[in-house]
Amino acid sequence: MSSLNLDDFTDLIERPDGGVRRDAEARRERQIVPPGALGRLDDLGEWLAAAQSAVPVRPIEHPRAVLFAGDHGIAALGVSARPAGSASLLVRSVLEGASPAAVLARRLGVPVRVIDMALEADPEGLPDEVVRHRIRRGSGRIDVEDAMTLEEAEAAFRAGVALADEEADSGTDLVVLGDISVGGTTAAAVLVAALCGTDASVVTGRGGEAIDDLAWMRKCAAVRDALRRARPVLGDQLQLLATVGGADLAAMTGFLLQSAARKMPVILDGVVSAACALVGQRVAFRAPDWWLAGQNSGEPAQAKALDRMALEPLLDHGVTVGEGAGALLALPLVQAAAGLAADLPEAPSPAAAPEPEAKPDPDPASGSEPGAHQVPEPGTGTGTGT
């Protein structure tokens, strides 16, 4: 029995400030560019203002990419194009700056933090700051066994909460959230199918590195078998993560919920972060108000999860590489929305109509208004009479 009460997050998480959002909308209506002319950037700017409780919105100056890493035992069934247990190679690529996410983060000036929760690799080969939160070595094969014990799931969840606190306390004002995993999209598909009440074939995609039809059939069967094991524990989100999730997914869920509690906005990347967000929504229904969907990865489980949370992706470029790359691409759009909302000048107030020029009072001695033509009296004219 877990000592962690997830129901506490329902009370801890508030919605972004609705009054501030209305103030931001009113300010937007006064700016020189007509409301609606900037499309979705208007909504983003107003959302950021509500999240920050600030009008005008503050610029996004301290974003950070946080990537949770883990290997999933289900990959042994050949459901991924990558070899089972090879996520550590992807981690090293990120750390060495050679992955797409690392290149984008470097270009954007975004520091990257990699968290090993369940890599199938010796911890000695990775930096201490990467491995210090590790829960276990790999996750169980979720079609026939639990991903981890309930105690391990609680420890992973608490690690995610602590990491969110570290980021919020250090001044991070927006998080780009991603995963580095092999087999993670299979676990994510199971979570989404379980929480949305759909069949395996509806949520099973091709993964970050696309698999062929035979591998897709194996993946679909694995999701189906894991889904049978997930349904009996749907009422307990922590047990659900222990049964068919993984240490990296449990930590990501804790991170998302605590980020919402700390009022720290998050951009979700792909299907894994979307699945964890869906678990988070089941825990605290207000939590998705603090998250943005960075991109549409093309995974059907991601589309299902985002639809359930009413989150619309900012981008749709077909980026499937994972590791937070799609969410990093969306970051400049969010920063642009903040800049426009803050820096566009307000339109000048309509000029007041000029006051009519006052006419002087009539001359009381003459009995006529000044400037009027007067007929001269006889003998007083200016003519040359004889």
Side-chain angles (χ1 to χ4, degrees):
M1 184 71 179
S2 171
S3 62
L4 185 63
N5 185 7
L6 299 188
D7 291 340
D8 291 343
F9 283 101
T10 302
D11 298 325
L12 289 171
I13 295 174
E14 303 173 353
R15 294 191 189 278
D17 195 319
V20 172
R21 178 154 193 162
R22 288 189 291 273
D23 292 342
E25 291 171 352
R27 184 176 189 275
R28 177 68 187 90
E29 291 175 356
R30 297 193 301 269
Q31 290 179 317
I32 59 172
V33 178
L38 295 175
R40 196 168 175 193
L41 293 178
D42 282 345
D43 290 334
L44 278 175
E46 292 158 7
W47 175 81
L48 280 170
Q52 297 175 355
S53 285
V55 177
V57 64
R58 296 188 297 272
I60 303 298
E61 295 181 331
H62 302 290
R64 186 189 291 270
V66 179
L67 311 178
F68 288 89
D71 280 296
H72 293 260
I74 198 69
L77 295 180
V79 299
S80 173
R82 298 187 177 96
S86 63
S88 61
L89 300 178
L90 302 175
V91 168
R92 290 191 178 93
S93 180
V94 172
L95 296 177
E96 292 167 2
S99 73
V103 171
L104 288 171
R106 186 166 59 248
R107 288 287 184 178
L108 295 171
V110 179
V112 178
R113 186 176 190 181
V114 179
I115 312 296
D116 168 18
M117 298 304 301
L119 288 176
E120 187 66 60
D122 292 330
E124 292 78 12
L126 294 168
D128 290 341
E129 64 268 20
V130 172
V131 301
R132 67 186 177 95
H133 290 287
R134 178 185 283 198
I135 298 300
R136 54 178 288 157
R137 183 164 175 156
S139 296
R141 239 186 72 180
I142 57 175
D143 62 326
V144 295
E145 63 181 338
D146 289 349
M148 55 188 163
T149 67
L150 185 59
E151 292 74 20
E152 288 170 336
E154 179 177 340
F157 187 97
R158 289 186 185 277
V161 170
L163 287 162
D165 282 333
E166 287 180 15
E167 292 301 327
D169 292 341
S170 69
T172 299
D173 51 14
L174 185 141
V175 171
V176 174
L177 186 65
D179 71 288
I180 306 175
S181 63
V182 174
T185 63
T186 304
V190 175
L191 289 172
V192 173
L195 292 169
C196 293
T198 57
D199 295 330
S201 60
V202 176
V203 296
T204 304
R206 302 277 175 168
E209 188 174 330
I211 54 177
D212 60 23
D213 290 344
L214 287 176
W216 182 85
M217 292 173 67
R218 290 193 296 269
K219 184 174 182 178
C220 196
V223 173
R224 177 200 63 207
D225 293 342
L227 190 54
R228 293 195 186 110
R229 303 184 64 257
R231 287 182 177 131
V233 296
L234 269 178
D236 186 334
Q237 287 76 47
L238 195 62
Q239 184 63 64
L240 179 66
L241 290 165
T243 304
V244 295
D248 49 342
L249 276 66
M252 194 178 294
T253 304
F255 185 93
L256 280 166
L257 286 168
Q258 187 65 6
S259 294
R262 295 294 304 270
K263 302 183 178 182
M264 182 170 62
V266 176
I267 303 179
L268 308 174
D269 182 39
V271 63
V272 174
S273 57
C276 295
L278 191 61
V279 178
Q281 183 199 40
R282 182 64 67 94
V283 174
F285 67 94
R286 301 184 191 95
D289 290 352
W290 295 94
W291 309 329
L292 293 172
Q295 59 126 9
N296 176 15
S297 68
E299 284 285 310
Q302 184 204 24
K304 196 78 177 173
L306 295 182
D307 180 68
R308 181 60 62 93
M309 294 183 288
L311 296 178
E312 182 182 352
L314 295 175
L315 301 175
D316 189 358
H317 294 328
V319 176
T320 63
V321 70
E323 303 170 13
L328 280 165
L329 288 169
L331 175 61
L333 197 65
V334 179
Q335 291 175 315
L340 289 166
D343 296 343
L344 276 178
E346 295 187 12
S349 300
E355 292 288 338
E357 186 176 350
K359 295 182 179 180
D361 293 334
D363 184 352
S366 64
S368 62
E369 294 186 9
H373 178 69
Q374 299 183 23
V375 180
E377 295 181 6
T380 62
T382 57
T384 57
T386 57

